[in-house]
Amino acid sequence: DIQMTQSPSTLSASVGDRVTITCRASQSLSSWLSWYQQKPGKAPKLLIYKASSLESGVPFRFSGSGSETEFTLTISSLQPDDFAIYYCQQYYTSSPTFGQGTKVEIK
Amino acid sequence: EVQLVESGGGLVQPGGSLRLSCAASGFTFSVHYMDWVRQAPGKGLEWLGRTKTKTNSYTTEYAASVRGRFTISRDDSKNSVYLQMNSLKSEDTALYYCVREGNSFDYWGQGTLVTVSS
């Protein structure tokens, strides 16, 4: 299986900050990578697919970039609603795998 | 509105079996691959498997951790997907999500909790 490693594991930030989360894959994914947001007690929500495509209805402050083995999720100006756990996921292979998650908490 | 509603979770003893169901609505169910993903308490997300469409012969694929114990099936006439879980272990305790594949995993149910304990 492809291993997905996110950094950092926890990120403390303030409202208005620019936030970047990195996801590294153990082998090339081309652009077959997604990002999800999960809030406590809720199901994950798709934010970004195919590395940089914004899912319908997701605010434009979220963006994704990268290819092959290194990817980033950027929140351009952190909002109160954005404090959550973020997961990357590869779907390059027939056995998708997730990163361990990055918790974005209030500084 | 796309909706996925899981049911069938509960408390089961180690070695026991459980069948989860997921009822889908608000989209053309038959053209989408459907997946199951679980999340152990306080842990991350683990993909379990998927069922493909009739066009793809209803082929199923599984994670190595559950292959041989879990079986995914679907009934397009009922817009439903199922997860049959056998030989359950304590480490199978988790919230089980039904997921639609569209743009990646684009819709998730709210999950059904499975607790494996004596």
XYZ file of all heavy atoms in Angstrom, chain B residues 21-110:
724
model
N -26.014 -1.848 6.533
C -26.705 -1.426 5.319
C -26.517 0.068 5.110
O -26.316 0.815 6.070
C -28.210 -1.730 5.419
O -28.439 -3.104 5.594
N -26.596 0.479 3.867
C -26.529 1.899 3.524
C -27.576 2.167 2.459
O -27.520 1.595 1.371
C -25.146 2.263 3.022
S -25.012 3.925 2.328
N -28.522 3.018 2.803
C -29.575 3.395 1.854
C -29.221 4.726 1.220
O -28.964 5.709 1.922
C -30.908 3.496 2.578
N -29.208 4.736 -0.106
C -28.819 5.923 -0.857
C -30.026 6.572 -1.519
O -30.983 5.879 -1.913
C -27.783 5.558 -1.912
N -29.991 7.876 -1.637
C -31.047 8.602 -2.338
C -30.499 9.907 -2.894
O -29.427 10.369 -2.470
C -32.229 8.878 -1.407
O -31.816 9.653 -0.299
N -31.213 10.470 -3.843
C -30.838 11.774 -4.382
C -29.872 11.738 -5.543
O -29.424 12.793 -6.001
N -29.529 10.543 -6.025
C -28.629 10.437 -7.174
C -28.857 9.089 -7.848
O -29.549 8.215 -7.304
C -27.169 10.602 -6.758
C -26.634 9.514 -5.848
C -25.866 8.469 -6.351
C -26.881 9.547 -4.481
C -25.368 7.477 -5.516
C -26.394 8.569 -3.636
C -25.629 7.517 -4.149
N -28.280 8.930 -9.031
C -28.416 7.676 -9.776
C -27.440 6.672 -9.196
O -26.269 6.616 -9.589
C -28.163 7.907 -11.274
O -29.035 8.939 -11.743
C -28.426 6.623 -12.054
N -27.923 5.881 -8.265
C -27.088 4.968 -7.477
C -26.326 3.996 -8.362
O -25.142 3.732 -8.132
C -27.987 4.212 -6.499
C -27.279 3.209 -5.643
C -26.553 3.602 -4.537
C -27.349 1.846 -5.947
C -25.899 2.681 -3.732
C -26.705 0.912 -5.154
C -25.980 1.331 -4.047
N -26.963 3.478 -9.378
C -26.405 2.363 -10.143
C -25.128 2.709 -10.907
O -24.393 1.809 -11.304
C -27.448 1.826 -11.125
O -27.805 2.835 -12.050
N -24.849 3.991 -11.105
C -23.681 4.358 -11.907
C -22.452 4.695 -11.058
O -21.406 5.049 -11.585
C -23.983 5.543 -12.855
C -25.179 5.203 -13.736
C -24.204 6.839 -12.102
N -22.600 4.606 -9.755
C -21.497 4.980 -8.869
C -20.900 3.772 -8.152
O -21.631 2.896 -7.687
C -21.965 5.968 -7.803
C -22.193 7.345 -8.331
N -21.199 8.304 -8.385
C -23.303 7.915 -8.851
C -21.696 9.414 -8.911
N -22.964 9.209 -9.200
N -19.552 3.746 -8.069
C -18.901 2.848 -7.140
C -19.287 3.293 -5.731
O -19.452 4.499 -5.466
C -17.378 2.941 -7.262
C -16.770 2.459 -8.545
C -17.527 2.047 -9.639
C -15.377 2.425 -8.685
C -16.929 1.611 -10.806
C -14.764 1.990 -9.845
C -15.548 1.597 -10.903
O -14.945 1.174 -12.069
N -19.411 2.327 -4.832
C -19.735 2.638 -3.435
C -18.692 1.982 -2.526
O -18.306 0.825 -2.755
C -21.133 2.150 -3.077
C -22.256 2.837 -3.859
S -22.371 4.610 -3.567
C -22.767 4.647 -1.819
N -18.285 2.703 -1.512
C -17.203 2.258 -0.639
C -17.649 2.247 0.819
O -18.641 2.892 1.193
C -16.008 3.216 -0.752
C -15.379 3.227 -2.129
O -16.101 3.507 -3.113
O -14.162 2.956 -2.233
N -16.868 1.544 1.616
C -16.991 1.598 3.075
C -15.647 2.050 3.655
O -14.591 1.556 3.248
C -17.386 0.241 3.657
C -18.808 -0.148 3.381
C -19.266 -0.888 2.323
C -19.958 0.180 4.169
N -20.638 -1.035 2.412
C -21.076 -0.394 3.535
C -20.156 0.898 5.352
C -22.376 -0.275 4.044
C -21.433 1.021 5.857
C -22.543 0.440 5.209
N -15.723 2.974 4.586
C -14.552 3.508 5.282
C -14.879 3.479 6.770
O -16.019 3.757 7.164
C -14.257 4.957 4.837
C -13.141 5.568 5.683
C -13.899 5.007 3.360
N -13.903 3.155 7.616
C -14.174 3.161 9.041
C -13.193 4.066 9.776
O -12.130 4.414 9.261
C -14.121 1.754 9.617
C -12.740 1.132 9.689
C -12.839 -0.297 10.211
N -11.516 -0.949 10.219
C -11.338 -2.236 10.524
N -12.382 -2.992 10.841
N -10.113 -2.735 10.508
N -13.606 4.396 11.001
C -12.784 5.257 11.844
C -12.901 4.756 13.284
O -13.967 4.869 13.903
C -13.249 6.708 11.745
C -12.374 7.700 12.462
C -12.716 9.134 12.083
O -13.866 9.494 11.862
N -11.688 9.981 11.995
N -11.819 4.190 13.788
C -11.783 3.751 15.175
C -11.841 4.978 16.088
O -11.445 6.078 15.681
C -10.527 2.942 15.431
N -12.322 4.817 17.308
C -12.467 5.968 18.208
C -11.167 6.747 18.366
O -10.131 6.183 18.717
C -12.885 5.313 19.525
C -13.557 4.049 19.122
C -12.820 3.568 17.911
N -11.217 8.033 18.067
C -10.051 8.899 18.201
C -8.954 8.673 17.184
O -7.862 9.248 17.315
N -9.229 7.874 16.161
C -8.195 7.529 15.182
C -8.532 8.100 13.806
O -9.515 8.818 13.636
C -8.055 6.003 15.105
C -7.679 5.350 16.421
C -6.333 5.804 16.936
C -5.934 5.053 18.202
N -4.621 5.526 18.738
N -7.715 7.739 12.829
C -7.885 8.232 11.474
C -8.819 7.363 10.652
O -9.536 6.510 11.161
N -8.797 7.597 9.338
C -9.708 6.952 8.404
C -9.049 5.750 7.741
O -7.883 5.814 7.345
C -10.134 7.959 7.336
C -10.824 9.210 7.884
C -10.895 10.287 6.810
C -12.213 8.866 8.389
N -9.807 4.676 7.616
C -9.304 3.457 6.989
C -10.301 2.995 5.939
O -11.455 2.678 6.255
C -9.096 2.345 8.020
C -8.585 1.060 7.412
C -8.492 -0.091 8.408
O -9.113 -0.010 9.481
O -7.826 -1.086 8.095
N -9.842 2.929 4.690
C -10.671 2.398 3.609
C -10.796 0.894 3.751
O -9.796 0.209 3.991
C -10.047 2.755 2.266
C -10.758 2.208 1.083
C -11.891 2.699 0.494
C -10.394 1.062 0.309
N -12.233 1.930 -0.585
C -11.335 0.911 -0.719
C -9.352 0.131 0.394
C -11.271 -0.104 -1.666
C -9.280 -0.878 -0.535
C -10.232 -0.999 -1.563
N -12.010 0.369 3.600
C -12.246 -1.059 3.757
C -12.455 -1.776 2.435
O -12.014 -2.921 2.258
C -13.486 -1.284 4.631
C -13.414 -0.714 6.039
C -14.741 -0.946 6.755
C -12.255 -1.332 6.803
N -13.162 -1.137 1.522
C -13.424 -1.797 0.259
C -14.476 -1.067 -0.541
O -15.023 -0.055 -0.109
N -14.732 -1.579 -1.735
C -15.694 -0.956 -2.636
C -16.406 -2.014 -3.464
O -15.917 -3.130 -3.658
C -15.028 0.021 -3.587
C -14.098 -0.629 -4.588
C -13.778 0.319 -5.766
N -13.155 1.554 -5.375
C -11.840 1.723 -5.246
N -11.011 0.726 -5.488
N -11.359 2.893 -4.879
N -17.582 -1.623 -3.946
C -18.260 -2.384 -4.980
C -18.382 -1.505 -6.211
O -18.793 -0.338 -6.126
C -19.648 -2.877 -4.528
O -20.339 -3.447 -5.647
C -20.500 -1.773 -3.928
N -17.997 -2.061 -7.344
C -18.111 -1.333 -8.597
C -19.527 -1.511 -9.144
O -20.404 -2.031 -8.468
C -17.044 -1.832 -9.569
C -15.622 -1.550 -9.078
C -14.583 -1.941 -10.123
C -13.187 -1.603 -9.628
N -12.135 -1.952 -10.631
N -19.732 -1.028 -10.361
C -21.068 -1.001 -10.947
C -21.342 -2.244 -11.789
O -20.446 -3.061 -12.034
C -21.215 0.234 -11.829
O -20.202 0.154 -12.850
C -21.031 1.518 -11.023
N -22.573 -2.359 -12.257
C -22.943 -3.474 -13.133
C -22.064 -3.482 -14.371
O -21.634 -4.540 -14.825
C -24.419 -3.368 -13.527
C -24.906 -4.508 -14.409
C -26.385 -4.362 -14.744
C -26.877 -5.528 -15.594
N -28.319 -5.390 -15.939
N -21.780 -2.299 -14.902
C -20.907 -2.176 -16.068
C -19.547 -2.819 -15.811
O -18.916 -3.343 -16.719
C -20.716 -0.692 -16.435
O -21.993 -0.118 -16.684
C -19.807 -0.522 -17.630
N -19.108 -2.755 -14.577
C -17.829 -3.343 -14.172
C -18.031 -4.649 -13.421
O -17.226 -5.029 -12.566
C -17.050 -2.348 -13.309
C -16.701 -1.097 -14.076
O -17.327 -0.041 -13.896
N -15.737 -1.190 -14.954
N -19.156 -5.327 -13.756
C -19.427 -6.677 -13.249
C -19.575 -6.749 -11.729
O -19.347 -7.803 -11.135
C -18.314 -7.645 -13.703
O -18.193 -7.629 -15.099
N -19.922 -5.629 -11.113
C -20.083 -5.585 -9.652
C -18.816 -6.084 -8.941
O -18.902 -6.668 -7.855
C -21.292 -6.392 -9.190
C -22.625 -5.869 -9.677
C -23.496 -6.678 -10.407
C -23.024 -4.567 -9.403
C -24.731 -6.198 -10.839
C -24.250 -4.074 -9.835
C -25.098 -4.891 -10.553
O -26.319 -4.425 -10.989
N -17.687 -5.855 -9.541
C -16.424 -6.264 -8.939
C -16.245 -5.603 -7.578
O -16.592 -4.426 -7.391
C -15.252 -5.869 -9.844
O -15.406 -6.525 -11.096
C -13.916 -6.251 -9.226
N -15.719 -6.367 -6.629
C -15.416 -5.826 -5.312
C -13.915 -5.845 -5.057
O -13.193 -6.697 -5.601
C -16.122 -6.618 -4.199
O -15.811 -8.013 -4.366
C -17.631 -6.427 -4.244
N -13.456 -4.907 -4.267
C -12.047 -4.808 -3.872
C -12.009 -4.525 -2.383
O -12.885 -3.830 -1.854
C -11.343 -3.688 -4.648
C -11.277 -3.953 -6.140
C -10.750 -2.779 -6.934
O -11.106 -1.628 -6.629
O -9.979 -3.015 -7.896
N -10.989 -5.049 -1.713
C -10.912 -4.952 -0.258
C -9.524 -4.563 0.208
O -8.520 -4.899 -0.428
C -11.292 -6.295 0.383
C -12.689 -6.748 0.065
C -12.929 -7.623 -0.991
C -13.768 -6.285 0.806
C -14.218 -8.026 -1.301
C -15.065 -6.689 0.505
C -15.273 -7.555 -0.549
O -16.556 -7.952 -0.855
N -9.501 -3.928 1.380
C -8.230 -3.703 2.057
C -7.727 -5.030 2.603
O -8.526 -5.907 2.973
C -8.419 -2.707 3.200
N -6.416 -5.157 2.669
C -5.821 -6.406 3.142
C -6.278 -6.747 4.564
O -6.429 -7.916 4.910
C -4.299 -6.302 3.087
N -6.533 -5.730 5.365
C -6.875 -5.936 6.778
C -8.226 -6.622 6.976
O -8.481 -7.193 8.042
C -6.876 -4.593 7.511
O -7.816 -3.700 6.926
N -9.095 -6.582 5.959
C -10.435 -7.167 6.116
C -10.754 -8.211 5.054
O -11.824 -8.852 5.117
C -11.523 -6.076 6.103
C -11.255 -5.056 7.216
C -11.623 -5.395 4.747
N -9.853 -8.368 4.089
C -10.117 -9.331 3.008
C -10.299 -10.723 3.578
O -9.521 -11.187 4.407
C -8.959 -9.299 2.016
C -9.232 -10.006 0.704
C -8.053 -9.837 -0.244
N -7.822 -8.433 -0.571
C -6.633 -7.831 -0.467
N -5.581 -8.499 -0.031
N -6.510 -6.552 -0.786
N -11.374 -11.389 3.160
C -11.668 -12.724 3.658
C -12.622 -12.730 4.838
O -13.237 -13.759 5.128
N -12.763 -11.597 5.519
C -13.701 -11.495 6.642
C -14.902 -10.615 6.295
O -16.017 -10.865 6.778
C -13.012 -10.912 7.877
C -11.925 -11.754 8.475
C -11.510 -11.232 9.850
N -11.056 -9.851 9.804
C -11.540 -8.878 10.583
N -12.488 -9.116 11.450
N -11.044 -7.647 10.486
N -14.664 -9.589 5.494
C -15.729 -8.648 5.140
C -16.142 -8.850 3.685
O -15.296 -9.130 2.824
C -15.257 -7.208 5.331
C -15.075 -6.780 6.763
C -15.133 -7.674 7.818
C -14.849 -5.443 7.049
C -14.954 -7.261 9.136
C -14.671 -4.999 8.363
C -14.729 -5.921 9.404
N -17.428 -8.680 3.415
C -17.951 -8.803 2.054
C -18.877 -7.622 1.769
O -19.788 -7.335 2.561
C -18.732 -10.109 1.881
O -17.874 -11.216 2.180
C -19.245 -10.246 0.447
N -18.619 -6.967 0.646
C -19.455 -5.844 0.226
C -20.348 -6.295 -0.919
O -19.884 -6.998 -1.834
C -18.585 -4.657 -0.220
C -17.752 -4.136 0.967
C -19.456 -3.526 -0.778
C -16.735 -3.081 0.590
N -21.606 -5.884 -0.866
C -22.534 -6.180 -1.943
C -23.443 -4.974 -2.141
O -23.462 -4.049 -1.339
C -23.359 -7.429 -1.625
O -24.106 -7.235 -0.432
N -24.181 -5.013 -3.243
C -25.098 -3.918 -3.517
C -26.363 -4.467 -4.162
O -26.352 -5.534 -4.777
C -24.453 -2.867 -4.417
C -24.106 -3.345 -5.812
C -23.245 -2.324 -6.563
N -23.955 -1.085 -6.835
C -23.349 0.064 -7.131
N -22.030 0.130 -7.156
N -24.056 1.144 -7.391
N -27.441 -3.706 -4.027
C -28.697 -4.026 -4.683
C -29.171 -2.740 -5.352
O -29.712 -1.854 -4.675
C -29.721 -4.537 -3.661
C -31.016 -5.003 -4.297
O -31.324 -4.583 -5.431
O -31.738 -5.788 -3.662
N -28.959 -2.645 -6.657
C -29.308 -1.406 -7.357
C -30.819 -1.180 -7.360
O -31.276 -0.038 -7.446
C -28.776 -1.442 -8.787
C -27.255 -1.306 -8.856
O -26.646 -0.953 -7.829
O -26.690 -1.570 -9.943
N -31.612 -2.246 -7.266
C -33.073 -2.088 -7.250
C -33.545 -1.431 -5.956
O -34.628 -0.847 -5.902
C -33.764 -3.436 -7.436
O -33.576 -4.255 -6.293
N -32.710 -1.531 -4.918
C -33.051 -0.936 -3.622
C -32.172 0.267 -3.284
O -32.260 0.810 -2.184
C -32.936 -1.980 -2.512
C -33.931 -3.116 -2.637
C -33.809 -4.099 -1.482
C -34.846 -5.206 -1.617
N -34.742 -6.206 -0.512
N -31.304 0.655 -4.224
C -30.370 1.763 -3.969
C -29.633 1.568 -2.645
O -29.517 2.496 -1.832
C -31.099 3.117 -3.957
C -31.531 3.569 -5.337
O -31.173 2.954 -6.344
N -32.314 4.624 -5.389
N -29.118 0.376 -2.463
C -28.490 0.044 -1.192
C -27.172 -0.698 -1.386
O -26.999 -1.434 -2.358
C -29.428 -0.810 -0.330
O -30.562 -0.079 0.069
N -26.303 -0.485 -0.431
C -25.033 -1.203 -0.389
C -24.896 -1.805 1.009
O -25.413 -1.252 1.986
C -23.842 -0.272 -0.748
C -23.727 0.893 0.212
C -22.541 -1.044 -0.830
N -24.201 -2.929 1.079
C -24.136 -3.685 2.322
C -22.692 -4.038 2.660
O -21.841 -4.168 1.771
C -24.962 -4.961 2.212
C -26.375 -4.722 1.746
C -26.712 -4.894 0.393
C -27.360 -4.296 2.632
C -28.008 -4.648 -0.041
C -28.651 -4.049 2.194
C -28.971 -4.227 0.861
O -30.250 -3.976 0.426
N -22.453 -4.213 3.958
C -21.153 -4.682 4.431
C -21.404 -5.822 5.412
O -21.927 -5.603 6.513
C -20.381 -3.552 5.109
C -19.019 -3.942 5.703
C -18.051 -4.375 4.590
C -18.415 -2.782 6.494
N -21.075 -7.027 4.967
C -21.190 -8.199 5.840
C -19.849 -8.392 6.530
O -18.819 -8.525 5.856
C -21.541 -9.438 5.015
C -21.567 -10.731 5.831
C -22.703 -10.771 6.834
O -23.826 -10.365 6.525
N -22.424 -11.240 8.031
N -19.870 -8.387 7.842
C -18.638 -8.501 8.626
C -18.689 -9.774 9.455
O -19.608 -9.957 10.272
C -18.484 -7.282 9.540
C -18.493 -5.962 8.786
S -18.182 -4.554 9.856
C -19.647 -4.594 10.886
N -17.725 -10.639 9.250
C -17.631 -11.897 9.982
C -16.359 -11.951 10.802
O -15.432 -11.162 10.590
C -17.653 -13.074 9.004
C -18.939 -13.146 8.205
O -19.997 -12.737 8.675
N -18.843 -13.661 6.982
N -16.322 -12.884 11.748
C -15.129 -13.089 12.584
C -14.635 -11.768 13.168
O -13.442 -11.445 13.099
C -14.008 -13.759 11.763
O -14.453 -14.962 11.210
N -15.546 -11.035 13.754
C -15.208 -9.697 14.241
C -14.249 -9.752 15.420
O -14.296 -10.660 16.255
C -16.477 -8.934 14.600
C -17.236 -8.412 13.372
C -18.674 -8.063 13.716
C -16.521 -7.211 12.772
N -13.364 -8.745 15.451
C -12.352 -8.629 16.487
C -12.536 -7.304 17.218
O -13.181 -6.381 16.687
C -10.962 -8.657 15.855
C -10.720 -9.795 14.898
C -9.387 -9.629 14.174
C -9.188 -10.690 13.120
N -7.899 -10.527 12.398
N -11.919 -7.189 18.362
C -12.042 -5.936 19.116
C -11.526 -4.744 18.310
O -12.061 -3.638 18.411
C -11.285 -6.045 20.432
O -9.921 -6.352 20.206
N -10.512 -4.991 17.467
C -9.951 -3.892 16.672
C -10.860 -3.459 15.526
O -10.544 -2.497 14.818
C -8.556 -4.251 16.148
C -8.465 -5.571 15.448
C -7.972 -6.695 16.351
O -8.442 -6.775 17.517
O -7.143 -7.506 15.893
N -11.975 -4.150 15.329
C -12.962 -3.721 14.342
C -13.929 -2.690 14.920
O -14.788 -2.167 14.188
C -13.753 -4.915 13.806
C -12.892 -5.882 13.023
O -12.037 -5.414 12.222
O -13.064 -7.102 13.194
N -13.809 -2.405 16.206
C -14.644 -1.378 16.825
C -14.377 -0.031 16.169
O -13.235 0.446 16.151
C -14.363 -1.291 18.332
O -14.796 -2.499 18.958
C -15.075 -0.100 18.960
N -15.424 0.550 15.607
C -15.242 1.784 14.843
C -16.591 2.336 14.399
O -17.624 1.671 14.508
C -14.382 1.525 13.602
N -16.535 3.539 13.869
C -17.667 4.136 13.170
C -17.500 3.782 11.700
O -16.432 4.022 11.120
C -17.664 5.643 13.372
C -18.862 6.450 12.899
C -20.133 6.009 13.612
C -18.609 7.937 13.124
N -18.507 3.202 11.106
C -18.431 2.724 9.725
C -19.223 3.669 8.825
O -20.426 3.880 9.040
C -18.967 1.296 9.624
C -18.001 0.289 10.169
C -17.789 0.175 11.540
C -17.264 -0.546 9.323
C -16.870 -0.731 12.058
C -16.350 -1.457 9.825
C -16.158 -1.539 11.187
O -15.244 -2.433 11.695
N -18.527 4.203 7.822
C -19.131 5.140 6.878
C -19.346 4.487 5.518
O -18.465 3.778 5.003
C -18.217 6.344 6.643
C -18.009 7.269 7.821
C -16.810 7.266 8.526
C -18.992 8.183 8.188
C -16.602 8.143 9.582
C -18.792 9.064 9.241
C -17.592 9.029 9.931
O -17.387 9.906 10.965
N -20.473 4.783 4.934
C -20.779 4.465 3.544
C -20.398 5.700 2.722
O -20.712 6.842 3.124
C -22.270 4.174 3.458
S -22.996 4.087 1.828
N -19.734 5.496 1.583
C -19.195 6.614 0.817
C -19.474 6.427 -0.674
O -19.304 5.318 -1.204
C -17.669 6.729 1.025
C -17.134 7.968 0.305
C -17.318 6.803 2.503
N -19.870 7.504 -1.321
C -20.042 7.478 -2.768
C -18.757 7.912 -3.458
O -18.112 8.890 -3.046
C -21.170 8.428 -3.190
C -21.523 8.342 -4.658
C -22.533 9.378 -5.073
N -21.887 10.619 -5.487
C -22.495 11.565 -6.203
N -23.759 11.408 -6.547
N -21.845 12.666 -6.537
N -18.394 7.208 -4.522
C -17.286 7.658 -5.366
C -17.850 8.453 -6.534
O -18.626 7.961 -7.340
C -16.491 6.468 -5.898
C -15.542 5.858 -4.888
C -14.530 4.927 -5.553
O -13.900 5.339 -6.550
O -14.387 3.790 -5.069
N -17.415 9.711 -6.579
C -17.737 10.553 -7.723
C -16.457 11.289 -8.052
O -15.514 10.723 -8.581
N -16.399 12.541 -7.655
C -15.118 13.241 -7.612
C -14.418 12.732 -6.353
O -14.623 13.261 -5.263
C -15.315 14.752 -7.513
C -15.887 15.358 -8.763
O -15.673 14.845 -9.860
N -16.615 16.446 -8.611
N -13.614 11.710 -6.498
C -13.056 11.038 -5.317
C -14.192 10.559 -4.401
O -15.223 10.124 -4.885
C -12.096 11.987 -4.592
O -11.383 11.310 -3.571
N -14.022 10.663 -3.096
C -15.072 10.227 -2.165
C -15.928 11.456 -1.832
O -15.668 12.173 -0.869
C -14.419 9.672 -0.895
C -13.748 8.340 -1.064
C -13.504 7.804 -2.320
C -13.357 7.609 0.038
C -12.876 6.573 -2.469
C -12.745 6.371 -0.098
C -12.497 5.854 -1.342
N -16.936 11.698 -2.645
C -17.584 13.006 -2.569
C -18.773 13.111 -1.639
O -19.147 14.225 -1.250
C -17.931 13.526 -3.967
C -18.842 12.602 -4.752
O -19.201 11.531 -4.243
O -19.186 12.971 -5.901
N -19.395 11.993 -1.284
C -20.475 12.043 -0.301
C -20.298 10.923 0.706
O -20.012 9.784 0.336
C -21.853 11.946 -0.976
C -22.265 13.225 -1.645
C -22.005 13.427 -2.997
C -22.886 14.237 -0.929
C -22.359 14.615 -3.614
C -23.248 15.430 -1.545
C -22.979 15.607 -2.889
O -23.333 16.779 -3.497
N -20.508 11.276 1.977
C -20.360 10.346 3.090
C -21.651 10.307 3.898
O -22.307 11.329 4.085
C -19.224 10.815 4.015
C -17.865 10.890 3.397
C -17.468 11.640 2.315
C -16.709 10.199 3.838
N -16.133 11.455 2.065
C -15.645 10.575 2.988
C -16.440 9.294 4.880
C -14.337 10.068 3.140
C -15.160 8.799 5.033
C -14.119 9.191 4.174
N -21.985 9.119 4.392
C -23.057 9.030 5.359
C -22.584 9.525 6.708
O -21.427 9.945 6.852
N -23.445 9.482 7.692
C -23.104 9.920 9.048
C -22.469 8.800 9.868
O -21.947 9.047 10.958
C -24.325 10.474 9.767
C -24.691 11.863 9.271
C -23.516 12.815 9.316
O -22.963 13.111 10.372
N -23.099 13.318 8.153
